[in-house]
Amino acid sequence: MSLLLLFFLLRLTAPTPEQCSESQLSPLQEAIKQDGAGRSERLAVLLKRVRELDPLPQRQIAALLGAAVADAAARPLHWEYDNAALQAHITEVWDTPEFLSESKSPFYTLPTGENSCYWDIAEASLRAVAGGYEYQNVLRELVRSFGAGNNKGYDMDAFKEFAKKVKARDIDTPLKGKYFHEAVLTFLAGYEADNHQLPFGNSKMRSTEGFCLSLPVAIKFFGHADFEKNSVEAVETMSTWKTSLQLAMVASNIVINLIKNPAYDIMSNGVEIADQYPKAKRCIEEIRDAVSNKWDHSTSVIQVFGPACNNPSSFQGAIHATVTSTSFTEAVRKTIRAGGCNCSRAFFIGAMCGAKYGIEGIPGEWVEKTTHSEEILTLALKAFS
């Protein structure tokens, strides 16, 4: 069942989000609650280690930490397509809509600070990069994160039962816990079939999971002979749709250019990619039009690009937020206020802004609020230092 259909069915049944109780905290959150000061000190040590690195690896790490933190910041309002409901949720926190204290996603509920499936996909490839890269390691890490007995809290049985209720229009609350994306389900089915037919991705998959999986790989291997091979391999694990592949490669190249030169002009990318990625070039031209017309971000996302998780909507919305902002926080906040699939946009925004503004540009308070930031920093330091 597509996410869009699921959304409309949820709206038809008018669910009331059930908030997370203390008993629903993850093991890591329980540890944080018991030893908050200790965690803060450990994060400070990890961030100090990042700052001691040369500028290039600093920005490599900042791009990935930025993606994770921005995704977590947007997560409590993920997939809220009803603009009136969205505005009601944030009216009292308009200036600071990030890390909303109560989950208001109509699809699924998690404790504040947890990440969406977008970052969890990226973290699987970050683990493979940190552990010594081989493509088979990426596949194993995906199974470890999402397969039976996974360590991320994805419950296939609960998800299937929830999907049945949605189909029967018998829903009164969102799913409690992590939400499987269709691209992940397709991958797991192909991998478990053990027919050795690569790639695993679906040619009709138009969302951004391929970019998410490929980003740590691309950041690790830019400038290497295997950059394109490894990046394409990662993208096509999630999607083989040609436009998705083009946009994922262009998105990775934008982040890489910002890592190499924080003053890089993102909008110049349309000229650079015209021959190799013509569909992506047209997308950037449409972003340029929105900027030239001075449409605000919410208007651009809702009325021009579209608020859904599908590409090119997510790709365009993320770039628009970044090029019309002057800081990490401004870009992430404006895309949260735009609603829809804010997490897919926030992931890409966080990567671009992390690379552009560096580790100092990511608010320390936001890093603290991201449940798995300590683990993410540890993996990133292992991969890039």
Side-chain angles (χ1 to χ4, degrees), residues 149-338:
N150 68 79
N151 62 353
K152 282 289 181 183
Y154 285 88
D155 186 334
M156 184 68 79
D157 290 338
F159 182 80
K160 287 180 177 178
E161 286 303 310
F162 180 74
K164 288 178 184 176
K165 290 181 178 180
V166 171
K167 190 174 181 179
R169 300 187 181 185
D170 184 27
I171 304 296
D172 57 358
T173 60
L175 175 71
K176 295 179 184 177
K178 294 276 190 170
Y179 197 102
F180 281 97
H181 288 193
E182 190 175 348
V184 172
L185 296 174
T186 299
F187 161 75
L188 289 174
Y191 187 85
E192 291 167 4
D194 196 27
N195 55 17
H196 305 291
Q197 290 184 1
L198 298 176
F200 292 105
N202 187 317
S203 63
K204 297 180 181 179
M205 193 61 58
R206 301 180 60 184
S207 46
T208 62
E209 289 84 0
F211 166 61
C212 297
L213 187 67
S214 69
L215 184 62
V217 177
I219 291 175
K220 178 68 174 179
F221 288 103
F222 73 82
H224 292 237
D226 289 338
F227 165 75
E228 185 162 352
K229 170 186 172 293
N230 292 345
S231 297
V232 170
E233 203 168 44
V235 174
E236 291 189 337
T237 305
M238 295 283 111
S239 174
T240 56
W241 184 48
K242 289 182 180 180
T243 300
S244 183
L245 175 60
Q246 284 197 23
L247 297 182
M249 295 299 288
V250 170
S252 291
N253 274 295
I254 289 171
V255 175
I256 289 164
N257 277 310
L258 289 166
I259 288 170
K260 294 190 290 187
N261 174 19
Y264 173 73
D265 179 8
I266 294 173
M267 298 311 295
S268 72
N269 201 267
V271 176
E272 297 171 14
I273 64 175
D275 293 333
Q276 191 173 5
Y277 304 114
K279 292 181 179 179
K281 176 180 179 291
R282 288 196 294 274
C283 291
I284 289 177
E285 288 171 349
E286 291 171 2
I287 301 167
R288 187 178 289 110
D289 289 343
V291 173
S292 297
N293 288 319
K294 297 184 180 180
W295 295 324
D296 66 42
H297 183 64
S298 290
T299 299
S300 298
V301 166
I302 296 168
Q303 298 182 21
V304 182
F305 311 133
C309 43
N310 287 347
N311 276 316
S313 302
S314 178
F315 173 88
Q316 292 176 304
I319 292 176
H320 184 273
T322 302
V323 301
T324 58
S325 301
T326 58
S327 69
F328 183 100
T329 52
E330 181 187 0
V332 175
R333 283 170 174 165
K334 68 173 51 171
T335 218
I336 292 173
R337 296 187 196 107

